[in-house]
Amino acid sequence: MAVPVANATQSFWRSDPQPLDNHRTTEQLPAKADIVIIGAGYAGASITHHLLEKSKALGRSVSIVILEAREACSGATGRNGGHLKPDPYNRAAGALKTHGKEAAEEVASFEARQVKEVQKLVERENIECDFVVTRATDVCMYEGARKDLKQGLDALTEANVSTASEVHYSDTRTAQGVSGVKGAQGCFTYTAAHVWPYKLVLSLLNKAVKHGVNLQTHTPVTSVQPALEPHTWAVETSRGSIAAEKVIYASNAYTSSLLPEYKTKIIGVRGICSRIVTTKPNAPFLSNSYILRLAPNEYDYLIPRSDGSIIVGGGRRDYFHQLETWYENYDDSSLITSAQRYFDGYMQRHFRGWEDSGAYTDAVWTGIMGYSADGFPHVGAVPGKAGQFICAGFSGHGMPQIFLSAKALAEMALEGKEVEEVDLPKLYRASQARLDSKMNVALEGWDGTHAK
């Protein structure tokens, strides 16, 4: 069932919980609120931030309650790889092929703008979250990936999609030298960032609570039903009910437990991540973040940290063939057994100069991502349910999509704007047509008849 489980594995990001981790602003739930937000991760915190900013600009007072089933930022955001990495060419090339130039430009430029927007947020609010602007290095370890990605980049360039010019390509002759990765067949570099996601989210939540937002952790929502009062929803929880004019689902993988129409549209996908540390003070230092494309449907991602450690996620090689270990799997209280040793010796295997680094796996954890069946997040009004909104289904790629999606959603929820009036890619718009679609890209590349 698509609900958070107890006793989740310990992620590095959550190794030093902040005071708001188990916070309840009031002992009892308020009887009513203007807006109830379900989920206290990056989406929920960002939506709250923009609602407060918008209400201040409009001179309006709005009561907001955030309900979180477990601890604050204990879901996907608190368990990810730390990337804030827009995709200026791969997803855009797919969108160009299936939806045309305008759609490709929208999704690519929307992601690219998030780096600067989050940087401005961090600097303006003095948020201590280890935010670093860097270069992402997308390394192809087999010829098929290099060829396909280069063809996609060329198509974007020919179509004059703006983000294509930001991508630097290195061919087989120079890829190893540019990337430092053994056996690299090609690589693509572009601007990205990385961050301590838990600290970013908790900072936003802390500001929200100081401005009157009611945060209630350990308060799972069990249902949302029409209330007796017109144009109001009864948000039922394990601790009582709240009457709300607006309900916003920032619940990602767990959305279908409350909105069953999304059961096959936002699917829980379990992933695994790790922290690698070195025993020697003179170990090589990585300045870029990385994706290593190892084989079809097998890729790893990593960021270097200022303390010399490396956060590495992926490991599909050792579990992707076992569908039940990851697809519709909501158990982040246990590791993926077949992949828990995958990260041992990782840096020595793949990176030049790391052979004698003494690098070893310090921690491994799992997390549940919300994969969208058509590959794009669902943002906007929930079809057929006036006053309900959704911001979910980020397919493990939410960090460069959420902040501006949250801004668009805040404008819809607070100002009554239509989805066509806000800054949001058309492919992100929540709609009945998307609910009716039979597409499921989450299973692309998996073939049970060829399972190992």
Side-chain angles (χ1 to χ4, degrees), residues 13-14 18 20-21 39-49 66 68 71-80 84 118 121-122 127-131 195-209 215 217 250 398-399 402-403:
W13 307 121
R14 292 185 44 78
Q18 296 189 14
L20 283 186
D21 203 58
Y42 189 32
S46 296
I47 292 165
T48 304
H49 168 80
I66 304 174
E68 169 57 51
E71 302 85 2
C73 196
S74 60
T77 309
R79 322 183 70 74
N80 67 23
L84 201 170
V118 175
L121 169 74
V122 168
I127 298 174
E128 295 184 5
C129 60
D130 295 355
F131 181 87
V195 65
W196 191 309
Y198 176 79
K199 289 184 177 181
L200 173 61
V201 170
L202 268 289
S203 179
L204 292 177
L205 292 176
N206 188 59
K207 176 187 174 183
V209 169
L215 171 63
T217 63
M399 295 303 289
I402 285 174
F403 191 67

Side-chain angles (χ1 to χ4, degrees), residues 60-303:
R60 290 172 52 184
S61 176
V62 57
S63 59
I64 302 171
V65 177
I66 304 174
L67 301 175
E68 169 57 51
R70 301 190 300 199
E71 302 85 2
C73 196
S74 60
T77 309
R79 322 183 70 74
N80 67 23
H83 269 291
L84 201 170
K85 187 188 74 62
D87 185 344
Y89 75 113
N90 185 23
R91 291 168 187 255
L96 177 67
K97 186 180 297 184
T98 57
H99 295 88
K101 177 185 174 180
E102 182 181 355
E105 179 65 46
E106 284 184 351
V107 297
S109 61
F110 189 75
E111 288 193 17
R113 284 188 283 127
Q114 312 260 350
V115 173
K116 183 61 68 175
E117 289 299 317
V118 175
Q119 181 180 8
K120 289 192 293 187
L121 169 74
V122 168
E123 292 173 351
R124 183 174 65 248
E125 303 291 340
N126 294 314
I127 298 174
E128 295 184 5
C129 60
D130 295 355
F131 181 87
V132 175
V133 176
T134 184
R135 296 286 287 180
T137 305
D138 194 338
V139 183
C140 301
M141 304 297 288
Y142 65 104
E143 174 60 18
R146 186 206 65 78
K147 180 180 177 181
D148 290 346
L149 292 178
K150 182 60 166 62
Q151 287 178 346
L153 178 60
D154 290 344
L156 292 173
T157 301
E158 185 176 347
N160 292 316
V161 173
S162 63
T163 56
S165 64
E166 300 297 319
V167 181
H168 175 75
Y169 168 66
S170 298
D171 63 17
T172 306
R173 297 170 300 169
T174 59
Q176 287 195 60
V178 171
S179 68
V181 176
K182 302 173 186 177
Q185 299 297 301
C187 71
F188 304 78
T189 65
Y190 44 91
T191 300
H194 52 82
V195 65
W196 191 309
Y198 176 79
K199 289 184 177 181
L200 173 61
V201 170
L202 268 289
S203 179
L204 292 177
L205 292 176
N206 188 59
K207 176 187 174 183
V209 169
K210 287 181 178 178
H211 284 79
V213 171
N214 190 321
L215 171 63
Q216 296 285 335
T217 63
H218 300 285
T219 307
V221 176
T222 55
S223 70
V224 179
Q225 304 293 338
L228 294 176
E229 186 178 343
H231 312 297
T232 304
W233 295 96
V235 182
E236 304 290 344
T237 80
S238 59
R239 299 171 51 227
S241 178
I242 304 175
E245 293 182 15
K246 308 281 178 63
V247 178
I248 299 175
Y249 298 88
S251 40
N252 210 29
Y254 308 107
T255 299
S256 66
S257 66
L258 300 172
L259 291 173
E261 58 265 47
Y262 283 90
K263 179 174 175 54
T264 60
K265 306 308 166 190
I266 300 177
I267 303 110
V269 168
R270 185 165 65 157
I272 190 165
C273 201
S274 71
R275 180 177 185 246
I276 294 174
V277 298
T278 63
T279 58
K280 298 181 180 179
N282 60 344
F285 178 75
L286 297 182
S287 59
N288 291 358
S289 63
Y290 284 83
I291 287 183
L292 270 60
R293 300 184 184 276
L294 302 164
N297 300 298
E298 294 178 12
Y299 54 87
D300 299 331
Y301 48 91
L302 61 142
I303 65 166

Side-chain angles (χ1 to χ4, degrees), residues 16 183 302 388 395:
D16 184 21
L302 61 142
Q388 294 193 24
S395 303

Side-chain angles (χ1 to χ4, degrees), residues 280-431:
K280 298 181 180 179
N282 60 344
F285 178 75
L286 297 182
S287 59
N288 291 358
S289 63
Y290 284 83
I291 287 183
L292 270 60
R293 300 184 184 276
L294 302 164
N297 300 298
E298 294 178 12
Y299 54 87
D300 299 331
Y301 48 91
L302 61 142
I303 65 166
R305 289 197 24 80
S306 58
D307 62 4
S309 66
I310 311 291
I311 305 297
V312 187
R316 280 187 165 197
R317 182 198 71 187
D318 290 353
Y319 73 86
F320 189 66
H321 58 285
Q322 301 168 316
L323 189 66
E324 70 281 359
T325 65
W326 60 274
Y327 187 77
E328 290 188 314
N329 191 316
Y330 297 89
D331 181 16
D332 58 6
S333 69
S334 63
L335 298 178
I336 301 175
T337 305
S338 57
Q340 68 183 77
R341 310 302 304 183
Y342 174 82
F343 304 103
D344 293 350
Y346 187 89
M347 299 304 294
Q348 292 91 328
R349 286 199 305 272
H350 291 297
F351 285 84
R352 299 199 302 186
W354 282 77
E355 293 82 0
D356 299 319
S357 64
Y360 68 95
T361 308
D362 175 65
V364 181
W365 60 91
T366 50
I368 312 302
M369 300 166 283
Y371 267 56
S372 170
D374 64 10
F376 297 99
H378 293 257
V379 183
V382 175
K385 295 183 176 178
Q388 294 193 24
F389 300 85
I390 185 171
C391 187
F394 292 97
S395 303
H397 192 61
M399 295 303 289
Q401 296 176 330
I402 285 174
F403 191 67
L404 291 180
S405 293
K407 183 178 181 180
L409 191 73
E411 292 175 358
M412 287 184 268
L414 191 63
E415 301 179 59
K417 289 185 177 181
E418 298 295 331
V419 69
E420 296 83 6
E421 300 177 280
V422 298
D423 177 19
L424 188 73
K426 293 183 181 67
L427 294 179
Y428 287 23
R429 296 176 182 176
S431 69

